[in-house]
Amino acid sequence: MRRHPIASVTALLLSLVGCAGSPLKTLPASAHLPGTANVEAYPVEHLAVRSLIERFSDAANHADWKATEEMFTEDAVWEVQAPPPMGWTFTGREAIHQGMTANLGRVELRVQTVSPTVVHVQGPDRATARSTLDEVLRFKETGKDVRIVGTYSDQLVKQAGQWKFARRTFIPRFDEPVATVTGSARD
């Protein structure tokens, strides 16, 4: 079998950041490949899943909810596992769209960074991923900034040649108010 040099380099680079995952209940034999072997077996899928996760954060940062909505399957579930009022579950693309746009009136600024991301491809059309999210939000009502850090656990499927979220679960691990700086060094 001839290896493509870019795929091998890609697999090596991705293995350096660690590519293992959470297996689902029924897995094809190739899904049990550990770390680097999984990347080498599915280099394009690893890159595509990572790209989806990064494009999601970029779209959220720019309030591009139409682009974000299209990243989910029709029957997707997106949830935040936290006590009220932070926790919620949206089931189906329409509910996800309504939930995202409902926050437009509450959030003035959203800046999120996602890293590291660990992908485990379970076959040509199924994968899981885990990523760490660091997000700062400014709420319109209070003008207060809040930093939230947590973990996304994703189940992904490939539909019509595109990777999509079938389930996104966010578990906040840390949140704190961001100190507001008043005045300036020139004052």
Side-chain angles (χ1 to χ4, degrees):
M1 179 168 120
R2 184 170 177 230
R3 291 181 159 216
H4 192 281
I6 293 175
S8 296
V9 170
T10 301
L12 176 62
L13 290 174
L14 289 175
S15 70
L16 292 175
V17 296
C19 291
S22 309
L24 293 179
K25 292 179 181 170
T26 349
L27 302 176
S30 60
H32 295 288
L33 296 172
T36 304
N38 187 263
V39 178
E40 289 175 351
Y42 302 106
V44 173
E45 288 80 3
H46 273 265
L47 289 173
V49 168
R50 293 174 74 86
S51 174
L52 176 67
I53 291 167
E54 291 171 359
R55 286 184 295 114
F56 179 90
S57 286
D58 180 67
N61 286 341
H62 299 283
D64 186 350
W65 303 123
K66 181 66 178 160
T68 305
E69 174 188 349
E70 292 171 2
M71 296 178 196
F72 288 91
T73 62
E74 285 294 332
D75 60 348
V77 175
W78 185 20
E79 66 181 331
V80 171
Q81 292 183 355
M86 260 186 79
W88 41 261
T89 300
F90 301 130
T91 302
R93 191 184 284 172
E94 180 59 32
I96 290 169
H97 171 77
Q98 290 175 1
M100 288 186 293
T101 55
N103 275 333
L104 291 176
R106 296 180 52 217
V107 177
E108 178 181 344
L109 172 73
R110 173 188 323 274
V111 179
Q112 56 176 245
T113 304
V114 64
S115 67
T117 299
V118 177
V119 177
H120 187 82
V121 178
Q122 299 168 325
D125 62 354
R126 298 196 69 72
T128 59
R130 184 177 61 225
S131 54
T132 301
L133 176 78
D134 190 337
E135 180 175 51
V136 174
L137 301 167
R138 176 172 299 140
F139 293 96
K140 288 181 181 178
E141 185 178 303
T142 63
K144 299 283 184 187
D145 298 335
V146 176
R147 178 179 179 217
I148 301 169
V149 178
T151 302
Y152 260 118
S153 295
D154 298 316
Q155 294 176 19
L156 306 107
V157 296
K158 194 174 191 180
Q159 295 180 337
Q162 297 293 313
W163 283 97
K164 295 184 181 269
F165 296 110
R167 183 175 200 95
R168 289 211 91 188
T169 301
F170 181 71
I171 299 174
R173 297 170 56 205
F174 170 86
D175 67 81
E176 69 178 352
V178 176
T180 305
V181 178
T182 57
S184 71
R186 296 181 303 199
D187 290 343

